[in-house]
Amino acid sequence: MDIHALHQVVHNSRDSRRAQALPKLSPAERDTLIKKYHPDHREAAYRPVAFGPNAGDLTVRELASVLEGDSPVPTELTLTPDYTVDVLVVGGGGAGCAAALHAHAEGAKVLLATKLRLADSNSVMAQGGMQIAVAPNDSPVQHFLDTLKGGHMKNDHDLLKTMVEEGPSIAKWLLELGVLFDRDPDGNLHVKKGGGSTKERLLTCSDYTGLEIMRVLKDEVLNQKIQLLEFAAAIELLSDEQGTCTGAVLQDLDNKRFVVVAAKAVILATGGIGRLHIQGFPTSNHYGATGDGLALAYRMGAPLVQIDTFQYHPSGGVYPEQLVGQLVTEGIRSEGGHLVNSKGERFVNELDTRDVVSSSIIRECEEGRGIRTATGRVGVWLDTPLLEAEQGEGTLDKHFPAMVRQYERYGVDIRKDPVLIYPTLHYQNGGVKIDSNSETSVKNLFVAGETSGGLHGRNRLMGNSLLDLMVFGKRSGLTAASRVKTASQGKLTLTHLQRFRAESKKHGVTSQVISPMVLPAYTRTQNT
Ligand code: MEZ
């Protein structure tokens, strides 16, 4: 059936849905739902990691291969530095920019290397907002409790306490730099409620929040004249004989040459793993989200945490094909958008935590109450015209201009027609284990942002990622800069890589995978 004909069930059911009581799930029912339908619980998708700091831990097959993969760097590479700096920051997204700016402000000589262009990242694509407890009826303690509940009580308490307590100072810093957060008519910051939160706590810039923050941070990195290498991918770290991190090998993506950087401290801020397309899922992630930092840190001996849990954002695009997997912000549900199955019914509290909402959508689709497209994809409706009907014409243009344009480009008017959605791979809940200064178990190796793990537990709340980036970007930058004031540059060796290769051989790993992957597997090279 034509997609427009299928919309009718959404339009026709609006009145009955307004009167519908939503299912209220007990903790046990939520648990059963997640175990039955959430992709984290598909046993066949997992296997133990063969060797290294997380030997024996279960993770998805795609990530296990990347962690066990071999380096593109030959162990006999001559390690004469092309650059010598205090702090090397790897990654040009929110965490990388924040780390570089704070380290630079502390007086460190910083080099920021990024494999694409400055700001090409998941951060720039963040839509729905940034959680910070700034409202008078809110507090960092309440933010802590909401996040802990959303993360199934598995969050690292020290990291979480640090994040929520530093939130207000981050808001101040961003405002001073010039970020234009939305405001109420009285001039106060406008705050919205996200899924799993008890208070209005999301700071937004309509649905361009990440773009606006990165506009300002990118400008600031350029204004501060921080040394920048674009199209330079980190492909191996360097260590001295004691295993301390002493720099990195980059690869110039234009001419494939290796570039050796001697650094007293390295901060990895390389983002997530969406482009590994775990379990065949489409992703909302940026093109560069190939989990590079996880592989680099793992080879140095840094343990990872919670590598068995990933976030499948409830609303990824299903139709049109060009938008498959693209983010449809949770902000639409925060503003009252209903999720609707093929029978015209709501089936979940749209503002429940993401794992519950995604599991419910998957259940509807698996039990035959999904809507199938001509290309064989399946999803449920998100009733976007409801916002126009309830809050007045122009609501979507005012609050969601990015989404209106994104769909308009393909002939879909979300003011008039609902959009079809299904969970999309959005975030890695786990990552490299860090302390509250963002340092890993490897001396002078720091990790900030999505590459790190533990803060969000087994399910991240909406808007906590942007705050995570800023807080731990800042702390890694400040700690690294203060460390290098008294540290001397260590020897540049690949001892850790020799050890890693010997371990791999001992465990009979025969994988042909080269990691980090740098670009997705389907990237076209000049020869294809
Ligand atoms: O934090 C996020 O993942 C977020 C705000 C996403 C969104 O739905 O907009």
Side-chain angles (χ1 to χ4, degrees):
M1 202 193 290
D2 174 56
I3 199 96
H4 300 286
L6 292 168
H7 293 155
Q8 279 319 312
V9 72
V10 181
H11 296 302
N12 296 342
S13 62
R14 213 160 272 145
D15 285 341
S16 63
R17 273 187 280 123
R18 282 188 180 114
Q20 195 188 326
L22 282 183
K24 271 217 159 92
L25 299 179
S26 69
E29 285 168 330
R30 293 161 68 85
D31 208 42
T32 306
L33 175 80
I34 290 172
K35 288 210 171 100
K36 188 155 178 206
Y37 293 104
H38 195 278
D40 273 0
H41 294 276
R42 294 178 187 163
E43 262 177 46
Y46 284 76
R47 74 163 171 86
V49 184
F51 68 98
N54 289 80
D57 289 356
L58 283 181
T59 190
V60 284
R61 291 167 184 279
E62 297 85 347
L63 180 54
S65 301
V66 165
L67 296 178
E68 295 161 1
D70 195 11
S71 170
V73 172
T75 16
E76 60 280 5
L77 183 72
T78 307
L79 297 172
T80 311
D82 297 287
Y83 295 88
T84 300
V85 296
D86 291 330
V87 179
L88 168 66
V89 177
V90 181
C97 287
L101 286 168
H102 287 286
H104 170 82
E106 271 300 288
K109 182 176 180 203
V110 177
L111 172 65
L112 191 159
T114 178
K115 66 183 175 185
L116 295 168
R117 292 163 307 188
L118 182 62
D120 281 346
S121 59
N122 278 347
S123 313
V124 91
M125 297 164 77
Q127 298 180 11
M130 181 179 197
Q131 292 229 28
I132 300 185
V134 289
N137 66 344
D138 196 7
S139 68
V141 171
Q142 198 56 49
H143 189 179
F144 183 99
L145 293 174
D146 286 349
T147 305
L148 195 60
K149 189 163 175 229
H152 296 268
M153 310 291 182
K154 300 291 185 208
N155 317 54
D156 178 314
H157 287 203
D158 284 341
L159 298 182
L160 180 51
K161 180 170 180 294
T162 305
M163 181 183 82
V164 298
E165 284 180 350
E166 293 203 359
S169 69
I170 294 291
K172 186 165 176 284
W173 181 61
L174 291 174
L175 287 164
E176 281 167 3
L177 285 178
V179 173
L180 297 168
F181 286 120
D182 295 331
R183 293 193 181 262
D184 289 330
D186 62 6
N188 285 325
L189 288 169
H190 180 67
V191 277
K192 283 189 187 174
K193 201 164 175 174
S197 298
T198 53
K199 302 279 183 214
E200 281 81 7
R201 187 181 295 131
L202 282 165
L203 298 180
T204 55
C205 312
S206 67
D207 57 349
Y208 286 114
T209 311
L211 184 65
E212 168 61 6
I213 291 174
M214 290 311 293
R215 172 186 75 80
V216 169
L217 292 188
K218 178 178 167 180
D219 260 14
E220 194 60 14
V221 168
L222 297 175
N223 288 343
Q224 294 295 332
K225 306 207 176 347
I226 290 172
Q227 193 173 15
L228 180 64
L229 282 182
E230 293 182 314
F231 300 105
I235 51 169
E236 191 54 67
L237 291 171
L238 295 169
S239 58
D240 66 11
E241 278 113 348
Q242 285 71 48
T244 298
C245 185
T246 55
V249 180
L250 313 179
Q251 185 163 37
D252 183 322
L253 294 188
D254 286 333
N255 55 30
K256 305 284 178 266
R257 268 196 225 129
F258 294 138
V259 177
V260 176
V261 181
K264 293 179 192 164
V266 175
I267 301 172
L268 294 176
T270 57
I273 44 101
R275 291 285 167 167
L276 299 187
H277 294 287
I278 286 163
Q279 303 193 40
F281 268 81
T283 184
S284 58
N285 279 194
H286 189 261
Y287 197 65
T290 49
D292 300 2
L294 298 180
L296 295 173
Y298 196 69
R299 283 212 280 271
M300 284 284 277
L304 314 180
V305 288
Q306 296 177 336
I307 49 174
D308 58 335
T309 165
F310 301 87
Q311 181 159 83
Y312 300 83
H313 189 293
S315 45
V318 170
Y319 175 90
E321 282 290 310
Q322 294 91 330
L323 296 182
V324 169
Q326 294 292 302
L327 187 67
V328 173
T329 178
E330 185 171 327
I332 300 273
R333 282 176 282 126
S334 302
E335 287 285 335
H338 291 174
L339 290 171
V340 186
N341 64 18
S342 62
K343 298 169 92 181
E345 299 160 342
R346 289 171 81 187
F347 50 87
V348 65
N349 173 354
E350 288 84 358
L351 283 189
D352 209 322
T353 51
R354 286 181 176 171
D355 49 1
V356 167
V357 180
S358 288
S359 300
S360 305
I361 295 170
I362 294 173
R363 179 197 59 211
E364 293 305 292
C365 293
E366 286 187 5
E367 293 183 357
R369 294 183 295 281
I371 296 93
R372 202 162 278 282
T373 68
T375 56
R377 298 186 190 276
V378 67
V380 297
W381 296 115
L382 176 62
D383 188 358
T384 45
L386 179 66
L387 269 57
E388 298 276 297
E390 303 227 310
Q391 297 180 32
E393 228 174 273
T395 299
L396 288 165
D397 285 287
K398 178 157 180 235
H399 297 299
F400 303 99
M403 191 181 159
V404 169
R405 271 184 217 134
Q406 189 182 23
Y407 274 84
E408 225 162 34
R409 205 178 288 161
Y410 302 106
V412 179
D413 183 349
I414 67 164
R415 307 170 193 98
K416 296 202 173 84
D417 291 323
V419 294
L420 204 54
I421 55 99
Y422 188 80
T424 180
L425 180 57
H426 188 56
Y427 193 81
Q428 84 199 13
N429 291 323
V432 183
K433 184 169 169 48
I434 55 165
D435 65 17
S436 54
N437 285 323
S438 254
E439 191 161 12
T440 68
S441 64
V442 174
K443 189 152 180 236
N444 296 349
L445 178 63
F446 297 79
V447 172
E450 190 171 348
T451 315
S452 69
L455 168 60
H456 303 288
R458 301 191 66 83
N459 177 66
R460 179 175 66 76
L461 289 193
M462 170 185 194
N464 269 347
S465 176
L466 283 178
L467 181 57
D468 169 4
L469 305 180
M470 293 302 123
V471 169
F472 291 97
K474 174 179 176 180
R475 290 180 85 83
S476 63
L478 292 179
T479 315
S482 103
R483 174 81 49 83
V484 301
K485 281 183 184 155
T486 51
S488 50
Q489 175 63 53
K491 239 173 122 181
L492 307 185
T493 83
L494 288 166
T495 313
H496 69 279
L497 181 58
Q498 284 161 353
R499 215 174 26 239
F500 181 87
R501 284 183 170 149
E503 271 266 287
S504 167
K505 203 162 161 201
K506 192 170 116 200
H507 287 85
V509 173
T510 51
S511 140
Q512 302 297 306
V513 172
I514 295 292
S515 75
M517 221 168 162
V518 179
L519 293 174
Y522 42 80
T523 300
R524 286 205 293 182
T525 63
Q526 275 155 353
N527 304 324
T528 55

